[in-house]
Amino acid sequence: LRNAQSNNLRFDLARVTHDQRHGPDDLPRAIKQVLDDNALEIRYQPKVDLRSKSIKSVEALVRWPSDHAQRVATNLLIDTAEQFGLIEQLTIQVFNKVLQEAADWQVQGLQVVVWINLSARLLAMEQLPRVLERLLQVWNMPATSVGLEVTESAFIHDIEHTTALLFELKNLGFRLSIDDFGTGYSSLAYLRRFPIDELKVDRVFVQGMFSSQADKQIVQSIIGLAHNFGLSVVAEGVEQESTLNALRSMGCDEIQGFYFAQPMPAQELIIWCEEFRRQGAARL
Ligand code: C2E
Ligand code: MG
Ligand code: MG
Ligand code: MG
């Protein structure tokens, strides 16, 4: 029986792997095609502000085209794009689409800061600030309505260059956040050195809070650390009310997760925010 089960498991794994990667060689080519077709999609997930009980920010998350014959998970898309030199093109496309949709929200009366994930590799792109500035001009959007989420891994190489680039982005008006804080090579020196506005507690710690005292202490410590440095803290991956309540009592500023909302298309977000304004705050 054990053998039969493990054979089944192997079969399933092979199928899943095949589905998601369509073979080792042609995924980069499929990504290139999707990029050239300008076909990536964006979903938005609200960050709920606990003090004001309102939505001040949303995070943009890239999605493989929903009508594509294949299915590709976001993590795999990003990893492969990074590996095959496609991440710059992907990022520019995401940025362009997000600004287009965010400009549309403004017209419809929704005022939120939209946060975009930046791969560590992008910080090596010399022209990054120029490119982003140009896209802002195209959509007539202020940099202050955009935040950039960067993981700690961005900081371990060429610290001089990274520092200069982050200051350049900050001076343009972008807000800056350290994503998945605590999972990489966290260093207190970053908090002193970089012009950061926000820390995002990784969902590994958030979701481990009730089973692990250590995770709870890590979350509490990150919140305290952020506040000591005058930074805002966001907890990601909040799925349950009990987690929300614990985070609130720890003084966490913003909450993101399936408890409130899954990432959704731009038009749905407008409706969701309207709905939240009317009755969502009752869940807080
Ligand atoms: P991240 O920036 O840490 O994003 C959070 C991930 O957690 C997202 O997965 C989101 O859908 C998921 N999530 C949100 N709430 C919950 C929850 O309550 N429970 C659980 N289990 N998961 C939740 P997603 O969209 O698959 O993105 C994965 C990662 O891919 C992101 O992690 C980010 O590092 C990267 N990524 C996504 N979009 C982009 C992009 O446009 N550019 C770049 N460079 N990276 C991106
Ligand atoms: Mg993020
Ligand atoms: Mg994160
Ligand atoms: Mg994460």
Side-chain angles (χ1 to χ4, degrees):
L1 179 66
R2 187 175 293 164
N3 238 338
Q5 273 176 344
S6 67
N7 273 341
N8 269 339
L9 190 64
R10 215 168 297 145
F11 170 76
D12 277 353
L13 274 178
R15 209 181 46 195
V16 167
T17 309
H18 180 75
D19 261 15
Q20 296 207 326
R21 331 191 79 182
H22 20 161
D25 310 324
D26 66 351
L27 181 57
R29 202 175 313 135
I31 294 174
K32 181 67 181 142
Q33 190 61 56
V34 162
L35 290 173
D36 290 345
D37 294 343
N38 194 34
L40 288 175
E41 296 176 13
I42 314 291
R43 298 289 179 270
Y44 300 90
Q45 189 180 38
K47 294 178 175 178
V48 178
D49 185 271
L50 290 180
R51 200 157 303 113
S52 66
K53 301 188 178 190
S54 66
I55 312 300
K56 292 184 181 157
S57 299
V58 301
E59 178 176 10
L61 295 155
V62 70
R63 291 290 177 269
W64 188 251
S66 48
D67 60 359
H68 199 280
Q70 256 80 34
R71 302 224 289 155
V72 178
T74 296
N75 279 319
L76 180 61
L77 167 63
I78 297 299
D79 289 351
T80 311
E82 286 179 349
Q83 210 178 319
F84 288 85
L86 298 168
I87 193 66
E88 285 83 1
Q89 189 182 354
L90 181 146
T91 304
I92 291 166
Q93 184 167 134
V94 167
F95 216 84
N96 188 52
K97 291 197 171 194
V98 168
L99 288 179
Q100 176 177 16
E101 296 186 308
D104 200 44
W105 296 334
Q106 291 216 327
V107 172
Q108 301 191 50
L110 180 67
Q111 294 283 345
V112 288
V113 173
V114 61
W115 291 84
I116 299 176
N117 292 283
L118 268 196
S119 289
R121 275 176 181 266
L122 262 291
L123 295 186
M125 183 179 168
E126 209 63 58
Q127 329 85 295
L128 183 71
R130 298 289 83 70
V131 172
L132 300 188
E133 214 182 355
R134 179 81 195 98
L135 289 170
L136 289 169
Q137 284 162 2
V138 167
W139 295 106
N140 193 25
M141 290 286 287
T144 47
S145 64
V146 179
L148 304 172
E149 296 189 3
V150 187
T151 56
E152 293 156 325
S153 55
F155 305 150
I156 56 180
H157 306 290
D158 199 346
I159 203 136
E160 294 299 329
H161 173 81
T162 305
T163 307
L165 192 86
L166 289 176
F167 271 97
E168 206 177 335
L169 292 169
K170 186 70 206 163
N171 288 336
L172 286 172
F174 291 107
R175 292 161 205 235
L176 300 173
S177 173
I178 305 184
D179 204 351
D180 303 341
F181 190 79
T183 55
Y185 300 88
S186 310
S187 160
L188 299 188
Y190 300 151
L191 304 177
R192 180 164 62 84
R193 179 159 194 145
F194 299 132
I196 296 298
D197 302 286
E198 173 189 286
L199 296 185
K200 288 190 85 171
V201 185
D202 194 76
R203 75 164 184 264
V204 170
F205 305 125
V206 172
Q207 297 185 344
M209 269 197 316
F210 289 108
S211 51
S212 156
Q213 188 60 25
D215 282 351
K216 191 169 185 176
Q217 285 160 343
I218 288 173
V219 173
Q220 183 73 78
S221 303
I222 294 175
I223 293 171
L225 187 65
H227 288 165
N228 282 336
F229 278 86
L231 311 178
S232 176
V233 204
V234 181
E236 64 175 24
V238 176
E239 296 180 1
Q240 297 179 0
E241 191 175 13
S242 52
T243 313
L244 163 70
N245 290 333
L247 287 162
R248 182 182 16 231
S249 66
M250 290 171 157
C252 189
D253 301 293
E254 284 175 283
I255 300 288
Q256 198 182 353
F258 297 165
Y259 175 70
F260 286 108
Q262 299 264 341
M264 62 192 112
Q267 281 310 309
E268 262 176 52
L269 180 78
I270 296 186
I271 298 164
W272 189 92
C273 287
E274 183 54 40
E275 187 77 9
F276 184 88
R277 203 160 31 225
R278 281 193 281 115
Q279 42 183 267
R283 293 179 74 181
L284 278 170

